[in-house]
Amino acid sequence: MSISIKRSIKGRRPQFFADVETDRLQGMLMAMATEMAVLYERVDTLERVAARKGIVLADDMQGFEPDENVQAEREAWRQKFLARIFYLYREELDDRLGHENDEQYRQFLKDVGR
Amino acid sequence: MGSQSNAFFAVPQGPHGMLVEADRDERARQDFVRSFKAFIQSDIVPGIHATYHHEVKPLHEQRAGHPPRDRHEIRQLMTQHPLFRNYASLQRVSQELLWDVVLDSIERTLPDLVARARSQGKRMQGSLTLNPKLSLPKYAVGVDIHCMPGGYGGEGGPDDVTAGALYDRGVYLYALGMMGPMNDDIGGSAAKFVRDRFPDFKPRRILDLGCTVGHSTLPFVDAFPQAEVHAIDIGPSLLRYAHARAESLGKRVHFSQQDAAATNFPDGHFDLITSSILFHETSAKALPAILRETWRLLAPGGIAVHGDLPPFWAMDEFNQFMLDCETWYNNEPYWGAMREVDQVALSIKAGFAAENVEFCMAPSAYRAAAGHDRNFEAGEFAPGNAWQVLVTRK
């Protein structure tokens, strides 16, 4: 019989957004993103093993140990992936970090003679 | 963005005989959650700091004629801001996913973990003493601290090691390796602090309070190889794991299931008593009792050193507010209150002479050695680049 450990956390979960459904959506989104990352790694592993052996074997995939370089490449991919998911926030955060702001943008449009 | 990603601090978790093994997909999930946390820290937290300093704070000053007075007022303002709400929600989600993905591996391999714990335990350089009759303190078992399912007291049967396996791997993912491959930077920094500060000090017996999986205990075994080292916690599953982990690493520690506020050791039994991030997970009622017990257990000339994250007075109001998010969103009900407590006054009340109580900062020993010296902002990691140490001498 498979083992099942209780996963719920004691206490009421804090609500972050005006609508609790939004909180749930964010949790679901990130759970989905996690699974997408898992799939990405599966395919990545598949391709690497296939390239190495010319044939796809389940045992080869299970035994595949990413070396330091592969781990670094995967880390870089994950950071890009996360940046894409948060593209809506990136613009707002960039503004606040002074990379660009509304004021500059309005000035730019003025300068180019909209 | 992301130029200084905390993911670059990542080092593989140090191997030992008890680490839960992840299969291919489980490892991908763990790696993703760790990357997710690193992304929040490197790419979202700086924007939240900027939002406050360049937008929320100036706007409040304009309206009210003064800057926000304290972290509570900052909190009222920031929780209205959509970017902050999103940040806080993401932190919570990442924390929930962190435990959840590790539990996959534990559920799949628990019989193997239990068997490993049994066989490691047979080496018996140290010892393990459980006390099923111990009444576990309510403040500790009534809360799933830092959202860890099951909490510290979790016990799934007579040989269970789930809480230990979950904590050990979870803390590693949480810290992104910034506490070193063995998660031991707090104990390691405190042990180094004691050795540097008191070079002639040769403790015969050492006690670690609230040791969880013994990760912070072991640096004291290394720092004081002649000493007899004891470590206590309340959770039986944690202690079985801690004992097997220490044995697998060839470290001699005597683990026992005890409440740090009332142990069964004789008066004056220890020359050195330590704790690592115990205080912020301890209720306001328990903390004075633990300090009194520390006083009772120390031999004359003995030293106690308690490591934790820095107190609020060591950082500005906005960092206080960011650090305090743990209290509100991460099931850390004692976190904020503890950081306001006067630990020096409490120590004096517990029996220590005022001139023998000091509050110091111990630089991170791991990050100094690894060349990762840099000051963190709250929300990235423990603010600054040092741990607080409360040093009390008898």
Side-chain angles (χ1 to χ4, degrees):
Chain A
M1 201 184 79
S2 67
I3 293 163
S4 171
I5 300 167
K6 183 175 172 283
R7 294 187 181 222
S8 54
I9 301 159
K10 283 193 198 90
R12 190 177 154 270
R13 192 180 190 278
Q15 185 176 332
F16 299 95
F17 299 101
D19 178 358
V20 73
E21 295 306 326
T22 310
D23 288 72
R24 288 186 190 131
L25 270 176
Q26 185 147 59
M28 289 163 69
L29 176 73
M30 291 316 298
M32 294 279 287
T34 309
E35 294 314 303
M36 281 186 66
V38 171
L39 283 175
Y40 164 79
E41 284 208 10
R42 274 202 182 211
V43 175
D44 184 52
T45 305
L46 188 79
E47 287 173 353
R48 289 173 196 277
V49 173
R52 201 178 290 169
K53 299 274 190 181
I55 187 166
V56 179
L57 292 172
D59 283 353
D60 282 352
M61 287 185 62
Q62 191 60 45
F64 180 78
E65 288 291 331
D67 63 20
E68 273 180 30
N69 289 335
V70 175
Q71 285 184 40
E73 283 176 41
R74 287 181 173 181
E75 176 57 35
W77 183 90
R78 287 191 293 265
Q79 292 300 329
K80 265 198 230 166
F81 180 50
L82 283 159
R84 191 170 304 116
I85 291 172
F86 293 106
Y87 72 100
L88 284 175
Y89 298 97
R90 184 177 54 214
E91 289 188 17
E92 290 199 55
L93 294 174
D94 275 350
D95 282 354
R96 285 167 176 81
L97 289 168
H99 300 312
E100 190 189 299
N101 59 42
D102 281 349
E103 189 58 37
Q104 286 165 343
Y105 189 63
R106 274 196 295 274
Q107 189 59 46
F108 162 76
L109 290 178
K110 216 170 148 188
D111 292 347
V112 298
R114 174 168 59 169
Chain B
M1 292 172 90
S3 57
Q4 251 209 322
S5 172
N6 281 343
F8 296 131
F9 286 88
V11 288
Q13 187 166 8
H16 59 71
M18 284 308 296
L19 206 52
V20 64
E21 281 166 12
D23 73 13
R24 178 190 56 193
D25 289 357
E26 290 160 1
R27 188 156 79 177
R29 281 186 195 96
Q30 291 184 14
D31 283 350
F32 179 76
V33 171
R34 197 179 56 172
S35 300
F36 178 28
K37 288 192 92 76
F39 178 85
I40 294 171
Q41 293 177 5
S42 303
D43 288 54
I44 294 184
V45 166
I48 301 301
H49 279 257
T51 299
Y52 174 69
H53 289 292
H54 303 316
E55 185 179 329
V56 173
K57 188 179 171 206
L59 194 66
H60 180 78
E61 282 169 345
Q62 225 174 55
R63 283 183 187 154
H66 60 81
R69 275 181 286 265
D70 52 25
R71 67 187 159 99
H72 304 292
E73 199 167 358
I74 295 174
R75 185 179 153 69
Q76 283 173 7
L77 298 168
M78 287 299 286
T79 49
Q80 304 304 313
H81 201 290
L83 276 177
F84 173 77
R85 289 186 189 185
N86 191 57
Y87 156 73
S89 169
L90 290 172
Q91 282 282 28
R92 173 75 181 210
V93 167
S94 72
Q95 188 74 5
E96 289 165 346
L97 285 174
L98 181 154
W99 302 115
D100 209 61
V101 299
V102 176
L103 276 169
D104 287 349
S105 309
I106 297 175
E107 280 182 344
R108 188 177 53 77
T109 65
L110 191 57
D112 167 61
L113 277 168
V114 167
R116 277 196 269 157
R118 269 205 217 105
S119 79
Q120 296 290 356
K122 280 189 187 134
R123 293 189 188 184
M124 296 298 272
Q125 297 188 62
S127 62
L128 172 67
T129 310
L130 299 179
N131 176 10
K133 288 190 184 137
L134 181 71
S135 137
L136 306 186
K138 280 200 189 83
Y139 76 86
V141 295
V143 182
D144 287 350
I145 294 275
H146 45 234
C147 295
M148 184 173 104
Y152 288 132
E155 168 73 323
D159 292 317
D160 187 38
V161 290
T162 299
L166 184 58
Y167 183 83
D168 197 10
R169 186 63 185 168
V171 167
Y172 165 75
L173 295 175
Y174 176 86
L176 303 170
M178 286 186 277
M179 298 216 298
M182 303 306 286
N183 288 335
D184 62 357
D185 190 46
I186 303 179
S189 301
K192 182 174 185 305
F193 179 88
V194 171
R195 286 201 6 161
D196 292 350
R197 184 69 201 280
F198 309 101
D200 299 326
F201 181 53
K202 299 265 186 302
R204 290 158 303 170
R205 275 194 291 262
I206 299 175
L207 174 64
D208 184 15
L209 306 170
C211 65
T212 60
V213 298
H215 52 311
S216 284
T217 316
L218 301 191
F220 286 88
V221 176
D222 295 335
F224 302 102
Q226 305 307 318
E228 182 182 296
V229 179
H230 293 255
I232 63 170
D233 207 292
I234 54 156
S237 159
L238 285 177
L239 289 163
R240 281 183 209 107
Y241 183 92
H243 173 56
R245 182 184 184 275
E247 294 291 331
S248 83
L249 289 164
K251 313 284 182 190
R252 185 194 301 269
V253 179
H254 301 286
F255 291 95
S256 56
Q257 187 183 8
Q258 304 206 51
D259 179 352
T263 70
N264 63 12
F265 297 112
D267 292 359
H269 199 57
F270 294 99
D271 305 301
L272 176 57
I273 296 178
T274 184
S275 72
S276 297
I277 46 171
L278 170 70
F279 281 16
H280 81 242
E281 294 175 355
T282 297
S283 75
K285 276 186 191 165
L287 186 54
I290 291 172
L291 290 170
R292 283 194 297 273
E293 184 69 354
T294 303
W295 163 260
R296 182 184 76 80
L297 293 176
L298 273 183
I303 298 171
V305 55
H306 303 281
D308 211 298
L309 274 71
F312 283 140
W313 56 257
M315 64 195 81
D316 66 29
E317 285 85 1
F318 187 70
N319 272 297
Q320 291 177 22
F321 155 73
M322 288 292 276
L323 195 59
D324 201 25
C325 285
E326 297 281 315
T327 310
W328 293 90
Y329 307 131
N330 198 19
N331 272 14
E332 291 274 7
Y334 318 120
W335 177 285
M338 171 265 165
R339 247 161 271 290
E340 279 185 335
V341 156
D342 185 344
Q343 297 175 46
V344 171
L346 277 185
S347 301
I348 293 167
K349 221 173 156 189
F352 293 96
E355 64 270 26
N356 290 335
V357 180
E358 279 179 276
F359 202 87
C360 311
M361 299 305 279
S364 162
Y366 165 70
R367 291 197 297 276
H372 287 324
D373 270 333
R374 99 169 162 88
N375 280 316
F376 294 101
E377 299 277 5
E380 290 185 308
F381 196 59
N385 194 24
W387 305 103
Q388 74 146 60
V389 281
L390 173 69
V391 183
T392 59
R393 287 176 294 136
K394 188 166 174 183

